[in-house]
């Protein structure tokens, strides 16, 4: 499904840094303003001293994504919970729509995801030939002695690691 905003070339995805632990409140405030926003959440089992509970936590702490024209950046910044935009080479960073689509695909998959700020060395280029992530491309890395798919979101300085069976991977 294509939204009206995706048809307009003036709209871009921007990564936004939120105040600490304010991702969900900032997300709701942006939605209330009618701004297309994406906050990738992952269910996690949290342990307290008296109980355990399943909660949805942002997969990338203090980040969310907005799809707006450049003229609306000020309105995003004037939203409760928003701290700043991410800059890359002196410009407000943009994320290609294809990477947001890939991230949505990863979040919808049954695979366990892990986000790291660790600088991972580039490896062999691969694509996934089967399963729910079929068609996704990435790099093979050696991490905790397992073969895994790495989707690099370069303009954010984060990498997403997905546990994928080696049988589902083809090399370019």
């Amino acid at each position: 499904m294509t939204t009206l905003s995706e048809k307009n070339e003036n709209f871009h995805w921007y990564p936004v840094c939120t105040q600490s632990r304010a991702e969900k409140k900032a997300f709701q405030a942006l939605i209330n303003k009618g701004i297309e926003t994406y906050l990738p959440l992952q269910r996690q089992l949290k342990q307290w001293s008296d109980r355990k509970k399943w909660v949805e936590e942002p997969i990338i702490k203090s980040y969310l994504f907005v799809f707006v024209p450049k003229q609306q950046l000020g309105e995003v910044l004037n939203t409760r919970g928003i701290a700043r935009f991410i800059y890359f080479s002196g410009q407000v960073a943009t994320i290609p729509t294809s990477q947001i689509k890939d991230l949505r695909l990863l979040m919808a998959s049954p695979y366990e995801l892990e986000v790291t700020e660790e600088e991972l060395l580039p490896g062999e280029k691969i694509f996934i030939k089967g399963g729910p992530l079929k068609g996704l491309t990435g790099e093979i890395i050696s991490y905790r002695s397992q073969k895994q798919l790495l989707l690099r979101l370069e303009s954010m300085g984060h990498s997403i690691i997905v546990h994928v069976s080696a049988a589902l991977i083809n090399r370019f």
Side-chain angles (χ1 to χ4, degrees), residues 2-19:
T2 304
T3 64
L4 290 175
S5 55
E6 285 177 298
K7 295 177 183 175
N8 187 333
E9 293 177 10
N10 295 327
F11 281 71
H12 299 284
W13 283 104
Y14 297 96
V16 180
C17 192
T18 66
Q19 295 169 352

Side-chain angles (χ1 to χ4, degrees), residues 47-110:
Q47 172 77 48
W48 284 271
S49 60
D50 61 337
R51 69 188 186 285
K52 289 183 183 180
K53 183 178 179 182
W54 285 99
V55 294
E56 285 194 327
E57 291 285 327
I59 189 151
I60 305 171
K61 302 283 186 221
S62 298
Y63 280 88
L64 54 79
F65 306 93
V66 294
F67 194 63
V68 294
K70 201 167 199 167
Q71 302 86 335
Q72 216 173 350
L73 296 180
E75 185 178 346
V76 171
L77 273 180
N78 289 327
T79 303
R80 184 177 180 101
I82 300 298
R84 61 184 171 82
F85 280 96
I86 307 303
Y87 283 80
F88 189 71
S89 299
Q91 300 282 340
V92 176
T94 60
I95 304 289
T97 299
S98 63
Q99 286 188 354
I100 296 295
K101 287 179 181 178
D102 287 348
L103 182 56
R104 287 180 193 243
L105 178 65
L106 286 169
M107 295 307 300
S109 78

Side-chain angles (χ1 to χ4, degrees), residues 42 59 99 101-116 120 126-128 130-134 136-153 158-169:
Q42 184 175 40
I59 189 151
Q99 286 188 354
K101 287 179 181 178
D102 287 348
L103 182 56
R104 287 180 193 243
L105 178 65
L106 286 169
M107 295 307 300
S109 78
Y111 296 105
E112 179 183 326
L113 302 178
E114 175 185 350
V115 174
T116 179
L120 302 168
I126 58 97
F127 72 95
I128 298 180
L133 302 178
K134 182 178 180 178
L136 205 60
T137 60
E139 299 173 354
I140 292 178
I141 60 168
S142 177
Y143 189 78
R144 296 187 185 161
S145 303
Q146 295 180 1
K147 286 190 177 180
Q148 299 170 340
L149 169 71
L150 168 65
L151 175 64
R152 193 177 299 274
L153 300 174
H158 286 76
S159 301
I160 297 178
I161 299 168
V162 183
H163 302 263
V164 177
S165 168
L168 296 177
I169 294 174

